[in-house]
Amino acid sequence: MPFKDIIVSSRVRLARNVEGLPFPTSDIGGIASYKRVLEGATAAAGFEYTLANMGELPDIDKEALVERHLISKLLCEKGSAGAVLLSKDRSVSVMINEEDHIRAQCIKPGNELYSCYRSIVKYDKELAKHLNIAFDSQFGYLTSCLTNLGTGMRASVMLFLPALVFCNKTGALINLLKKNGVTVRGIYGEGSRYKGDMFQISNTYTLGVSEEEILSVVDKAVEYCMQEESIARKRLKEERGLLLEDEVYRAYGVLTNARLLDSDEFMSQISKLKLGMSLGIINFTQTEKLDEIVLSCQPGNLCCRVGRRLSDGERDLVRAETVREALVNLK
């Protein structure tokens, strides 16, 4: 199918808890169980990794990891009672003592849902050899939040849907997906805004369904979204023609010449540029590189690039410089 750039990334996450230990969200959870969980989580890793304790990691580094979907904001608040284990290529991240004792995930660019699943299940099987995972014959894996009870699995895909946004069809799409067991959220999950025309879709139910059924539901939803977005893009190009080309080249002009770029303007203009690239309006083919630019230009990542906390104005300056440099290399 054309328009493969519709899929930004795929992710599969598993929530697991250790039998006999209080959940990390309880008053007596946390430090008391941290060492035991940490020992099992690291022993299960059959890959090269780095380990970062939240009590030792600088705030700007935490923010950058949140922006790249490698840790959650909740984990950042755990201090010395929380940590993250990151594979060398950062495709696998294991959060320790977040909402559950273990939140293990695999995230990859593009349409890699089943590949992510295979990778994280491999880790999960090793984990079960080192820790007694809390499991009930009736309810499945026991989790801190009831919405994760059962498989404890969330399969999610980040989609880029600018044409559907322009045509005001996302509302109807979201309602349809909800009826079919799929939840739609913003770029940073529950409660976040839809920024840069990007939407995160994931399974609604974890109880009473198998892992294979969850993957199938999300995969079918992705396929449907791709079809609808493809149709909308073709129609948009046919109906707007020169006006659309003008918007795309204006966006390119702003991004390659601006000396200051705030977050909202950046996300709006990069979305137009990526749409223009996918439709062949502008002669770039590496749309995945634009996804990396989006991540690199988030506030925490900009601060990490410079090595210190930046003011709003400083971030706008560094963001503009970062974008100009990156787009020159795409020519």
Side-chain angles (χ1 to χ4, degrees):
M1 176 179 290
F3 306 122
K4 290 295 185 180
D5 64 290
I6 293 171
I7 301 179
V8 178
S9 62
S10 305
R11 175 170 58 167
V12 175
R13 188 197 72 202
L14 299 176
R16 300 289 186 259
N17 287 284
V18 180
E19 185 177 341
L21 293 182
F23 289 133
T25 50
S26 70
D27 292 337
I28 56 175
I31 290 291
S33 59
Y34 173 72
K35 290 184 179 180
R36 182 175 171 186
V37 176
L38 177 63
E39 182 179 346
T42 53
F47 48 82
E48 188 176 348
Y49 66 85
T50 58
L51 181 68
N53 182 276
M54 291 299 106
E56 301 170 358
L57 200 63
D59 287 343
I60 58 173
D61 290 337
K62 294 178 189 177
E63 291 173 23
L65 290 174
V66 169
E67 291 165 357
R68 289 181 177 273
H69 308 283
L70 295 173
I71 65 173
S72 67
K73 291 182 179 179
L74 177 59
L75 185 67
C76 296
E77 301 168 0
K78 291 304 182 80
S80 296
V84 63
L85 182 156
L86 290 172
S87 64
K88 186 176 181 180
D89 64 359
R90 292 197 167 189
S91 64
V92 174
S93 67
V94 181
M95 291 186 288
I96 299 166
N97 268 10
E98 191 236 27
E99 187 175 77
D100 296 287
H101 291 134
I102 299 287
R103 285 281 180 98
Q105 70 167 26
C106 180
I107 182 169
K108 296 181 181 182
N111 188 11
E112 296 291 344
L113 192 64
Y114 286 90
S115 175
C116 288
Y117 173 70
R118 289 190 294 270
S119 294
I120 209 60
V121 164
K122 182 178 180 181
Y123 175 79
D124 190 47
K125 289 180 178 178
E126 287 298 315
L127 185 69
K129 296 177 182 179
H130 299 277
L131 293 171
N132 293 324
I133 304 300
F135 185 86
D136 181 85
S137 59
Q138 181 179 359
F139 296 109
Y141 290 102
L142 303 181
T143 56
S144 179
C145 182
L146 292 177
T147 58
N148 292 316
L149 191 67
T151 60
M153 187 173 99
R154 291 289 169 187
S156 62
V157 177
M158 191 75 70
L159 300 174
F160 176 59
L161 306 174
L164 288 174
V165 171
F166 184 87
C167 297
N168 295 316
K169 291 187 175 182
T170 53
L173 177 68
I174 290 171
N175 290 332
L176 178 63
L177 293 178
K178 285 182 179 179
K179 293 177 181 178
N180 288 278
V182 175
T183 298
V184 183
R185 297 187 172 101
I187 186 171
Y188 291 113
E190 188 172 0
S192 63
R193 291 193 301 145
Y194 304 119
K195 296 178 65 177
D197 301 327
M198 289 197 284
F199 299 78
Q200 183 183 132
I201 70 169
S202 62
N203 57 297
T204 303
Y205 307 109
T206 61
L207 181 64
V209 291
S210 68
E211 295 176 349
E212 291 74 17
E213 288 171 329
I214 289 173
L215 292 170
S216 178
V217 165
V218 175
D219 190 45
K220 289 178 181 177
V222 169
E223 185 71 19
Y224 180 76
C225 290
M226 288 182 67
Q227 291 175 352
E228 292 299 299
E229 174 67 15
S230 297
I231 292 170
R233 289 187 186 189
K234 292 175 182 176
R235 184 176 300 158
L236 194 61
K237 187 175 183 181
E238 290 171 358
E239 293 179 356
R240 290 186 61 81
L242 190 59
L243 289 174
L244 181 60
E245 288 187 29
D246 184 65
E247 286 188 49
V248 170
Y249 275 99
R250 283 178 182 271
Y252 179 66
V254 169
L255 293 171
T256 53
N257 289 282
R259 265 45 189 174
L260 294 171
L261 271 177
D262 66 36
S263 181
D264 288 340
E265 181 180 21
F266 163 69
M267 292 297 286
S268 174
Q269 301 296 355
I270 204 78
S271 175
K272 292 175 184 177
L273 180 60
K274 186 175 177 182
L275 175 61
M277 290 170 66
S278 69
L279 292 175
I281 292 173
I282 195 162
N283 191 26
F284 290 160
T285 57
Q286 297 175 302
T287 53
E288 69 279 359
K289 294 293 181 67
L290 289 189
D291 296 329
E292 175 56 33
I293 294 173
V294 169
L295 293 172
S296 298
C297 287
Q298 299 307 307
N301 278 269
L302 289 173
C303 292
C304 280
R305 176 177 178 171
V306 176
R308 64 178 176 84
R309 179 70 63 187
L310 299 173
S311 67
D312 291 348
E314 288 175 323
R315 285 202 306 268
D316 294 348
L317 175 65
V318 176
R319 182 180 292 111
E321 292 175 349
T322 301
V323 174
R324 290 199 310 272
E325 292 173 9
L327 290 181
V328 166
N329 294 329
L330 280 179
K331 288 183 178 179

